[in-house]
Amino acid sequence: MAPQHGPRRARIAFSDSAAKQLDAITSEAELHDLDRALVVISVDPDAGEPLPGNSTDPRLRQYVDDVERVRLLYWVTALKTVVVVAFIEV
């Protein structure tokens, strides 16, 4: 019998701006906090709230983790790839 797998996670990609922010992180604690938030949206890309604005695609979403103090701005492609536009620590 084939093993059962959990739901497929979304692939995470970074915009140039988000990649620069990622490169600037030097603290292991901040990387850990960011990683936890990325896991949440990879498991459930709809976890964040849609940002107000027009309804044309791509629709930006915001995920805020008050415990880890991370805010992610992202959009989800038709193939469920999560594209992180920026992350801002709150």
Side-chain angles (χ1 to χ4, degrees), residues 2-22:
Q4 294 291 333
H5 296 284
R8 184 174 168 215
R9 288 187 180 191
R11 186 173 151 288
I12 302 286
F14 295 95
S15 69
D16 290 341
S17 174
K20 286 178 185 176
Q21 287 179 317
L22 183 61

Side-chain angles (χ1 to χ4, degrees), residues 46-63:
D46 296 323
E49 298 176 359
L51 291 175
N54 62 27
S55 61
T56 60
D57 288 325
R59 179 92 190 247
L60 282 177
R61 301 183 69 83
Q62 169 181 260
Y63 174 76

Side-chain angles (χ1 to χ4, degrees), residues 2 10-11 13 19-21 24-26 33 35 42-43 45 47 55 58 62 70 72 74 76-77 84-85 89-90:
R11 186 173 151 288
K20 286 178 185 176
Q21 287 179 317
I25 295 177
T26 58
D33 295 346
D35 188 51
S42 74
V43 171
S55 61
Q62 169 181 260
V70 173
L72 296 171
Y74 67 97
V76 182
T77 68
V84 177
V85 176
E89 292 181 322
V90 205

